[in-house]
Amino acid sequence: MRNPSLPGFLHNLQGIVQVMQRPRSQLLPLLRSPFLGELLAWLYLHPETDYSVTELAEILRVSTSTVSREAGHLAKVGLLIETRRGNLRLLRAATDHRLARPLTELLALTYGPAAVLGDVLRSLDGVEEAYIYGSWAARYAGEPGPPPRDVDVLVVGDVDEDDLADRARVAERRLGREVNAHRVSVDAWRSSGEDPFLGSVRSRPLYTIGDGDEVAAGP
């Protein structure tokens, strides 16, 4: 398939996002829906892996029909590659597309934290809960504002600070932006104390890192 020109690509992408009904993305305003950014980011930031439609639906918390429909549009413009393995429809990033490199960089700077931080923190001992807070979580939740310059992460549990700092540096290399990781004990996080920092974090949107990632608005 011939790679589309940049104007042609933007025209096709505009047609894709017009069919989406969810609120316009505040992380990447070119996209009408955050879901399209999440889908592209997950596949382009895991380029070595083929994912089934069912796996992507579970990861991104949407219906299989939503993934199937949008993946079909993205495959038509050459951004995704579809293969079949028995009854499975498998999808992966089209890394040989002429726009793959700049698109990957753009996705890493916008939706990348959702796709990367779970991987980075998964094997870290002592993590009970983990959240993205601050401007990135606010933009993800749909609050308008300037693009986030860094990513703020709160890790709840008995975590070695040096190990956490190492994981933050790994995430920085993959995302191309600063990652600020803060550790807090389970008791401190779950208490009703008057810690100003934790009170501020709780009052704003939080993106839960891990299985079933989601944004939770502050009280």
Side-chain angles (χ1 to χ4, degrees):
M1 178 182 294
R2 181 178 63 85
N3 287 330
S5 64
L6 182 57
F9 163 74
L10 292 176
H11 175 76
N12 286 326
L13 185 57
Q14 190 174 43
I16 291 170
V17 300
Q18 284 175 346
V19 304
M20 303 297 293
Q21 301 301 315
R22 295 170 64 186
R24 180 179 297 276
S25 166
Q26 293 297 327
L27 286 168
L28 185 54
L30 170 68
L31 304 180
R32 183 178 297 276
S33 165
F35 169 71
L36 194 57
E38 292 178 75
L39 176 61
L40 285 166
W42 191 270
L43 292 170
Y44 271 85
L45 296 176
H46 299 89
E48 72 289 347
T49 305
D50 292 301
Y51 290 93
S52 71
V53 169
T54 300
E55 287 174 320
L56 289 169
E58 292 175 352
I59 291 168
L60 302 175
R61 309 170 309 282
V62 296
S63 67
T64 55
S65 61
T66 297
V67 174
S68 181
R69 180 178 64 249
E70 299 312 316
H73 291 307
L74 292 169
K76 284 182 181 178
V77 298
L79 290 174
L80 298 185
I81 296 172
E82 294 186 46
T83 57
R84 293 280 181 175
R85 186 181 301 160
N87 293 326
L88 289 178
R89 180 187 177 195
L90 300 176
L91 302 164
R92 68 181 305 167
T95 54
D96 60 346
H97 194 286
R98 64 186 297 181
L99 296 175
R101 182 173 179 178
L103 181 59
T104 300
E105 294 175 353
L106 183 61
L107 292 166
L109 289 171
T110 53
Y111 284 91
V116 167
L117 285 165
D119 289 344
V120 170
L121 296 176
R122 186 169 291 117
S123 61
L124 183 61
D125 292 336
V127 177
E128 297 291 335
E129 303 170 37
Y131 305 93
I132 305 174
Y133 64 98
S135 59
W136 188 93
R139 297 296 87 74
Y140 185 97
E143 292 187 8
R149 296 189 177 189
D150 54 13
V151 181
D152 298 311
V153 181
L154 181 73
V155 174
V156 180
D158 184 15
V159 177
D160 183 89
E161 288 191 352
D162 290 337
D163 289 343
L164 180 58
D166 289 342
R167 301 304 170 90
R169 301 296 83 75
V170 170
E172 285 181 346
R173 289 193 293 271
R174 292 179 62 180
L175 295 172
R177 64 169 60 189
E178 184 178 356
V179 174
N180 305 308
H182 183 83
R183 183 191 69 173
V184 64
S185 71
V186 174
D187 288 343
W189 177 243
R190 296 179 182 174
S191 75
S192 57
E194 297 300 323
D195 184 300
F197 167 71
L198 295 182
S200 175
V201 170
R202 288 193 189 96
S203 70
R204 306 287 295 136
L206 294 173
Y207 181 93
T208 306
I209 302 170
D211 295 337
D213 295 344
E214 60 184 13
V215 169

